Amino acid sequence: MGKFEITTRKNGEFQFNLKAGNGQVILTSEGYSSKSGCTNGIESVKKNSQDDGKYEKKTSSNGKPYFNLKATNGQIIGNSEMYESVASRDNGIESVKKMPLTQRFQI
């Protein structure tokens, strides 16, 4: 079962990670100035993760595939890890879409 974990960065900003059942990070957010902003980001993932059109499939400068999940307004909610293949990236997207999402907060 997937879990959201909220952590505090060294600069004091909050971020969330969406972790798969095996503990692997699938999606990481940007930094938020408040915990409530971070929580709103998690809600946005839950709302937008079922829509194929919200996933932006990308390739990094070193050739590694990854994806961004975007909100309705086009803002990036989270970035994936770098994958070794396009198929692995696409599997990562499917994992986010199919994951029963619960919340666990760790600060």
Side-chain angles (χ1 to χ4, degrees), residues 26-37:
I26 301 173
L27 196 68
T28 300
S29 74
E30 297 179 321
Y32 293 90
S33 59
S34 69
K35 184 178 176 185
S36 63

Side-chain angles (χ1 to χ4, degrees), residues 11-97:
N11 66 2
E13 290 182 331
F14 296 89
Q15 78 172 41
F16 66 81
N17 288 314
L18 172 58
K19 292 186 172 185
N22 65 4
Q24 183 177 359
V25 175
I26 301 173
L27 196 68
T28 300
S29 74
E30 297 179 321
Y32 293 90
S33 59
S34 69
K35 184 178 176 185
S36 63
C38 192
T39 302
N40 288 340
I42 290 170
E43 292 304 316
S44 187
V45 169
K46 290 178 177 182
K47 177 182 175 184
N48 292 289
S49 64
Q50 301 306 306
D51 184 347
D52 287 334
K54 299 291 175 34
Y55 290 92
E56 180 181 45
K57 297 178 181 182
K58 307 279 282 179
T59 303
S60 68
S61 59
N62 67 359
K64 302 267 187 182
Y66 70 100
F67 67 88
N68 296 322
L69 177 61
K70 292 188 168 188
T72 304
N73 65 5
Q75 185 176 3
I76 295 173
I77 306 166
N79 310 92
S80 75
E81 64 176 341
M82 298 293 164
Y83 291 95
E84 293 299 320
S85 69
V86 169
S88 294
R89 177 199 57 206
D90 293 346
N91 285 339
I93 291 171
E94 289 304 312
S95 292
V96 174
K97 288 169 57 178

